[in-house]
Amino acid sequence: MPEILWPHHELSIEAQLGVLHLQTTLGLNAPWTVIFGPSGSGKSSLLQAACGLTSKASVDFRRCVWTSSKTIRVEDFPAINASTWQTVSSLPTHRRALAYAPQHAALFPHLNAGDNIRFPSQVSEPRSKDSVLIDAVLELFQLHQLAHRMPAQLSGGERRRVALARAFAVPNARLMLLDEPFTGLDRKLRDELLPKMQAWLAARKIPVLSVTHDVDEALLLDAQVIRLADGRITAQGPARDVLAAERERLLQTLG
């Protein structure tokens, strides 16, 4: 896979979701971007729109097309020709080269943990037999000892790790979508997994768009943050800048 060249994805959506009118455009230009905001602000709906799972919504989802012959740098973005973008929203969900872990684990109850993780490779086109990828994912999320257990035999945190592992096992993913990825995990395990996940994704050149309402998580990721409120973007930039007030309150609490 070629080196990630920014900006890498752009998502525009307009939808009426109950009382919420979601109308926004996200330009993703970092290895890890966090959508931050209160409950009901439309965070999860943005990920679902990218996957083609939001009905009655106007969605334009585009991906920068990279070639070995041309380098597109972030400072060139205003001058990028339209031919360098691929419209992803016109493709069926399974052809969008996305990996998605929803907020709830949603494991297949009739498959053990290992088979849940292998599922994306078994339904991919063409079918993948990448056992090296599966083994690396099991190692990353510390799941080798749990691979033969059924979902009903797993704790909430273990199910969450399996759901994340399944997303990481998607062959040839071009973008990782994670909705509240660390829900159900204690902070010690989260802090242990987070840098390993970042390193794993960076090595494979897979950018991330994730959802959180956890200030500490966004700051630990040192991510680009898109603040969302009432279906609109209110700020975008480095976590230390966009979440400066929340960071100060957090430090006062810890102090």
Side-chain angles (χ1 to χ4, degrees):
M1 185 175 180
E3 181 180 2
I4 292 177
L5 306 170
W6 314 120
H8 50 82
H9 287 79
E10 185 178 88
L11 172 64
S12 297
I13 176 173
E14 182 171 5
Q16 190 67 43
L17 306 172
V19 298
L20 176 68
H21 185 206
L22 181 61
Q23 184 177 27
T24 188
T25 296
L26 283 69
L28 308 184
N29 58 5
W32 197 305
T33 304
V34 168
I35 305 174
F36 181 89
S39 298
S41 58
K43 303 187 301 298
S44 296
S45 296
L46 288 173
L47 300 194
Q48 293 165 6
C51 293
L53 302 176
T54 303
S55 61
K56 298 181 180 179
S58 173
V59 179
D60 181 19
F61 186 31
R62 302 191 303 162
R63 170 181 293 135
C64 186
V65 178
W66 306 301
T67 67
S68 58
S69 61
K70 182 179 180 181
T71 298
I72 303 168
R73 301 186 184 281
V74 68
E75 59 266 24
D76 300 326
F77 180 40
I80 287 180
N81 187 282
S83 64
T84 63
W85 289 90
Q86 174 194 26
T87 298
V88 182
S89 46
S90 62
L91 299 174
T93 299
H94 68 283
R95 293 184 55 200
R96 297 188 184 191
L98 301 174
Y100 175 47
Q103 186 173 0
H104 303 290
L107 301 181
F108 298 110
H110 63 291
L111 299 179
N112 64 29
D115 286 340
N116 264 282
I117 294 167
R118 294 183 190 94
F119 183 81
S121 64
Q122 294 173 345
V123 299
S124 64
E125 298 180 4
R127 185 169 177 172
S128 172
K129 296 181 179 180
D130 193 347
S131 59
V132 174
L133 173 61
I134 301 300
D135 191 65
V137 167
L138 288 169
E139 181 70 24
L140 174 65
F141 290 99
Q142 305 171 25
L143 290 169
H144 276 295
Q145 301 301 317
L146 302 176
H148 296 291
R149 292 191 187 179
M150 303 301 289
Q153 298 172 310
L154 301 174
S155 68
E158 290 167 345
R159 286 194 295 272
R160 190 61 191 162
R161 279 189 283 149
V162 172
L164 287 171
R166 183 173 59 188
F168 275 61
V170 171
N172 303 313
R174 293 281 296 274
L175 178 65
M176 182 76 63
L177 304 173
L178 305 176
D179 195 348
E180 300 284 1
F182 303 106
T183 298
L185 300 184
D186 62 64
R187 285 185 178 269
K188 180 180 179 181
L189 181 57
R190 181 204 67 177
D191 293 351
E192 179 183 345
L193 282 176
L194 195 149
K196 294 179 180 179
M197 290 167 61
Q198 286 181 295
W200 195 95
L201 292 161
R204 290 159 178 81
K205 314 301 183 189
I206 304 174
V208 181
L209 176 63
S210 69
V211 162
T212 190
H213 61 272
D214 189 327
V215 176
D216 184 39
E217 180 182 317
L219 292 171
L220 281 172
L221 284 165
D222 194 24
Q224 179 87 178
V225 171
I226 296 174
R227 185 191 285 275
L228 200 67
D230 299 323
R232 303 288 194 280
I233 293 175
T234 59
Q236 180 170 354
R240 61 183 177 278
D241 296 335
V242 175
L243 302 177
E246 288 86 352
R247 178 178 180 273
E248 184 62 30
R249 286 195 293 270
L250 182 62
L251 290 173
Q252 291 176 357
T253 302
L254 295 175

